[in-house]
Structures are given as structure tokens and as C-alpha cells.
Amino acid sequence: MAETCTGSRASEIFTTLEYGPVPESHACALAWLDTQDRLLGHYVNGKWLKPEHRSSVPCQDPITGEKLASCLQAQTEDVAEAVEAARASLENWSTLPGAFRAQYLTRLAKMIQKHQRLFWTLESLVTGRAVREIRDRDVPLAQQLLQYHAIQAHTQEEALAGWEPTGVIGLVLPPTFSFLEMMWRICPALAVGCTVVVLVPPASPTPLLLAQLAGELGQFPGILNVISGPAVLGLVLSSQPGVQKVAFCGAVEEGRALRRFLAGQGPELGLALGAESLLLMTEAADVDSAVEGVVDAAWSDRSLGGLRLLIQESVWDETMRRLQARMGRLRGGRGLDGAVDMGARGTAARDQAQRYVSEAQRQGAQVFQAGSVPSDSPFFPPTLISDLPPASPCTQAEVPWPLVCQRLERETGAGPGAGLRAQDGHSLDQCPRSQRPGGAHRWLQGEWVFLARGPGWSL
């Protein structure tokens, strides 16, 4: 795993063409935390809610361990207050003409643009993700989502004639979520006239910042409410009177528990389970572009979980050789360094990845890591795991962060994203329908076509 060079002379840099550090100042993020006295509560009905006698958890820099702020944990009464604020705002918001809602969403997009540096530094500082991914992808795409759904709101009187907003939406997000994952879900809800209550895991300040900016727009302070607390509060949120739909993102077992809890009663339920993604590579694929696709999916800090890669046996050796060579050129380091490809996701994520790798080795897997890091380091190197027996527990378990490579015939399951990669449409069409993802991207000569999104699939 490559590192950014430090202290090199200009002549040496031009000779080696190595990357130097490009640190991003996080002064604006610390300044925003100072406005809250380094104590973050919940943002409900257009104002900060910081009730007394609440437990708190530290919000820390995942690399240095420095305490950045304290985050209050919500309780049942806080959830009820947030839902009541959403219910109170629903009538006015849902009866507005679509053009007025479109204007509001456009103004919120401009607010994100105005404070974009604060967004990307705060998100990178707290999550450890590479600031380049957040700055160049997440924040611009968040603005585009708001602008896109503003256009949809303009046309909904005709396009959705006779339809009514669902009502109050409860959104439950997992510890591994990104700011962009929340935007994918709240933008369409707000555009059609729903109001939203978002339950985020502790120590997640970026959603609170978004809710604050939305509240500062005035007029409709209760349409977006954000509370911070453990996942168990998802059951509390789901059982609140007035919540018409719950969108849950997270672990499979937690989703199953919520489905059992709501079976035959309560609101509608939407589930997006697991964070693992899947990529299926055929012999017709361009190997170099496929390798870059793997790097983007697994180690560019875009994915919330690991990647399961299925390679056709005829191109297995060549793909593994090129992938290992590419892994050695990845740059790891502090997320706020603009020259870094892969940041650190904290001690818990590192330990989870290490447990998976150790267990995979005990089950007979071959493990390749690009470089090594000290055992007490918060960083985890890019990791490639292969030759796992099909029936081994690790094969059946979700991949937390390393990449797992398996041959085509082995059974697996996929999470929220999956893809087929080949060089011509005929090769894709020849893939048996039983082996196609229920929701997948299809790459064809460097371009992809979005097919559909689904909860997962099995070979």
C-alpha cells in the first residue's frame, strides 16, 4: 500500500511522480462544533433539542482518538416529540403546490453549496473517509438530488394526479451509513409532500447540520427532524402514532426483528439490508477496466461495506495478478489528506475486518494484503481473500470491508448493490437469468446502464 511522500525535494518528486500530502483544514468543522459548545443534541421542529439527564457518547476523530464533541442519546420522549413535530408540519407541507416545495428544495441545495466545505470537512473528520470522495462526489450529488426532485415536485400535479403523500416517514440508518445515503431517501419523500424523522446512530453530526440548514430556511421547520440514538429506538419510532412508513437500512437481523415487530400492524416497512456489494466478471470483460471498477467499489471509500467479486475461471489468474499489482499503488492515510485514496473508519471497523480475515484464514482462505500496518494503527490495508470453501461460515457471512474473490460457480448473496461486467452486450445477455442480480448495474465497454434496484440475489 503506497504512502504519500513527505519532505521530498522538487527534483525527486518529478523523478518518482509520487504524491505529496494535500491536507484539508478542518477549522470550519471545529468552529461549527464550537457554536454548539461541543455538545450535540437533536434537531427537532427547527431548533436544537438538548434535554437534561440524557446519556451521551463521544464523537471522536477515528484516527487520532481526539474527542471532538459529546452527542446526546435520544429517549422515547425525544422520539415522540420529533414525530409530533413532523405530524404538525404535514398538513401545511403536503397541501402546498408542488412548485412551492420545489422552491424550498432548491433553496436547500443552495444552502449545501454555500456550506459545502463545512460538509465535506465535517464528514471526513468524523468518519475518517477520504475527503476527496466526499468533496468531489457526495456533496455535489446531494445538491443534484435536491435539484432533481425539485423538478419532479414541479410536475407532480400532472404526473401524480390523484395520488396523496404517504405521511410521516421514519428513516432508520445504520452505523456505517454515509451522508449521501440519507439524501437518497429524504429527497423524494420531501418532494412529494411527506415529512421525515431520521434516526441516526450516535456521533453523526452531518445529518444534524443538514437539518439545521433546512430549519434555518424558515416556514416549514418540522418537515425534517433528526434525532441521534441507538438502533433499538427504531422500534420506538415505528410504533409512534402517525408514522405511516418506516424505511430501515442496516443489518439483516435487525431488519428481520423490525419486520416481525410490525407484522400485521403498524406502518408500511421498507428494508435495505446489508452493506456488502457484488461484482460478477465474465471472460469477455476488459480486465484493466474491471480492476479499476473493483478498486472504485471496494477501496475508494464509496462503499459502506465489503465487495464480493465473482470471476469467471478462465480469467481468474490474470485478474488476480493485475488486481494485486493495483492494490500496491493505493494510497492510504488520514482522510483529510486530499491525496489519499483510502482513509480509516475507526477502531471498531478495523477490528471487525481483522476478525473476518483471521477467521477466513482458519477456514483455509488465501489472504493478500497490500502492505502492512502496526497492530495498534487505526488503518487497515486493502485486503483480498480468495479460495474460501463454499460452505465455510465466512463465505455465507457478509463481507465487512475486505474484498472476497470467488469463482463463478460458488454460491453467494449480495447486498444493496451488484453489477455485471463484460465487454459486449451479448456476453451479458448470455448470463443465465438465475445468475443475474435482482438489482444491478451492467457495465458495457466502460459505460454502465442502471437496470433496477433490489434487496439482493443468490446464485
Side-chain angles (χ1 to χ4, degrees), residues 91-133:
E91 182 176 357
N92 290 336
W93 178 250
S94 62
T95 56
L96 278 177
F100 284 86
R101 289 199 296 273
Q103 185 180 34
Y104 182 92
L105 295 179
T106 302
R107 291 173 61 201
L108 182 55
K110 292 181 178 179
M111 287 288 281
I112 293 178
Q113 183 179 23
K114 178 180 178 180
H115 298 280
Q116 58 185 346
R117 178 175 293 274
L118 174 56
F119 270 99
W120 74 56
T121 53
L122 182 64
E123 180 79 354
S124 178
L125 178 64
V126 173
T127 65
R129 294 175 60 215
V131 69
R132 184 181 63 185
E133 290 292 336

Side-chain angles (χ1 to χ4, degrees), residues 208-270:
L208 293 167
L209 170 61
L210 176 69
Q212 179 184 359
L213 295 181
E216 289 175 357
L217 292 177
Q219 293 184 291
F220 308 102
I223 63 173
L224 177 60
N225 308 275
V226 177
I227 53 178
S228 174
V232 68
L233 287 179
L235 299 177
V236 177
L237 176 59
S238 305
S239 60
Q240 291 295 313
V243 175
Q244 277 77 41
K245 183 168 185 176
V246 175
F248 174 86
C249 310
V252 174
E253 290 305 320
E254 293 177 358
R256 287 173 176 168
L258 183 58
R259 185 178 64 178
R260 287 192 293 266
F261 177 77
L262 295 177
Q265 60 173 350
E268 298 179 30
L269 178 62

